[in-house]
DNA sequence: ATGACGATTTACT
DNA sequence: GTAAATCGTCATA
């Protein structure tokens, strides 16, 4: 953060949005507007969008410039800056927030990290304030990764059923872990 | 200018 | 389980 505090977490849940052919994607049918323009940028670009009148969600652009494919960051296991995250998340809530719920959802994660439209279009691979680095613990075995259909895209017909959500099996930091964390 | 809607979260019955 | 919160964006006119 601006005061030097480091907020960090391990990505434990993601969803893929496969571009112009994907009915659940903001770029479906080649739709290109000021809002989703970042999706058409180079790989490693952040696509942060505002939704439901109150939430932000953060994606990582994955394909070449002009090809609007991205991965939605859905949950993190927080590993640094927990105090700040708790403050961010408790602000607009009644009680306290369990540590397993600090970043267990695409909008929760953005709230905990303080991500908003200022980060839209940011380069996640450089030295800027927001970045993604290789996990020190290394890659996971396939057995440790679960898959399921994506969340909240029921309007997308056949695409809604595709298993394009990935999560760390057994992680308590996955969104809706009680319902979905053990699926597939 | 208008209106419908959302890649969600939270609270409440 | 259901519903409220809350508003930018985009398609339509």
């Amino acid at each position: 953060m601006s005061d030097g505090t480091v907020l960090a977490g391990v990505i434990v849940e993601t969803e893929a949005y496969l571009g112009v052919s994907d009915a659940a994607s903001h770029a479906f049918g080649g739709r290109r507007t000021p809002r989703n323009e970042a999706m058409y940028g180079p790989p490693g670009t952040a696509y942060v969008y505002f939704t439901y009148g109150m939430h932000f969600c953060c994606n990582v652009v994955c394909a070449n410039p002009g090809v609007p494919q991205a991965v939605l960051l859905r949950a993190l296991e927080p590993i640094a800056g927990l105090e700040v995250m708790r403050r961010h998340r408790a602000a607009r809530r009644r009680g306290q927030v369990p540590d397993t719920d600090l970043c267990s959802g695409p909008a929760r994660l953005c709230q905990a990290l303080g991500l908003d439209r200022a980060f839209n279009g940011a380069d996640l691979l450089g030295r800027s304030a927001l970045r993604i680095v290789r996990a020190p613990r290394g890659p996971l075995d396939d057995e440790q990764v679960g898959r399921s259909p994506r969340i909240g895209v029921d309007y997308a017909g056949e695409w809604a059923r595709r298993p394009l959500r990935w999560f760390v099996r057994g992680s308590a930091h996955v969104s809706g872990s009680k319902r979905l964390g053990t699926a597939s």
Side-chain angles (χ1 to χ4, degrees), chain A residues 19-177:
Chain A
V20 300
S21 63
D22 182 352
S25 169
H26 291 166
F28 178 55
R31 197 158 66 91
R32 184 169 187 165
T33 68
R35 181 206 196 197
N36 70 2
E37 178 62 29
M39 288 188 87
Y40 290 81
T45 299
Y47 167 44
V48 181
Y49 67 90
F50 183 67
T51 190
Y52 289 105
M54 62 188 97
H55 296 303
F56 292 97
C57 296
C58 181
N59 295 254
V60 183
V61 175
C62 292
N64 288 328
V67 182
Q69 300 190 351
V71 165
L72 172 68
L73 303 180
R74 286 196 57 92
L76 306 180
E77 175 185 337
I79 58 174
L82 290 262
E83 290 296 329
V84 175
M85 293 186 189
R86 289 189 195 102
R87 180 159 51 76
H88 284 165
R89 291 276 293 120
R92 285 187 291 181
R93 232 196 185 209
R94 298 205 284 168
Q96 232 211 28
V97 181
D99 283 357
T100 51
D101 281 351
L102 284 178
C103 303
S104 61
R108 290 173 172 176
L109 163 173
C110 285
Q111 195 179 335
L113 297 183
L115 302 184
D116 59 24
R117 37 182 129 265
F119 292 87
N120 189 40
D123 173 18
L124 298 173
L125 306 180
R127 271 188 261 279
S128 52
L130 178 63
R131 55 194 192 243
I132 295 178
V133 299
R134 213 183 312 277
R137 61 185 68 172
L140 298 173
D141 296 332
D142 287 351
E143 294 178 357
Q144 304 175 81
V145 181
R147 294 182 68 177
S148 83
R150 292 173 292 184
I151 310 294
V153 296
D154 291 344
Y155 57 83
E158 184 180 348
W159 281 90
R161 294 189 286 277
R162 295 221 189 179
L164 293 175
R165 169 176 175 259
W166 282 262
F167 58 90
V168 177
R169 280 208 171 111
S171 171
H173 302 273
V174 166
S175 72
S177 54

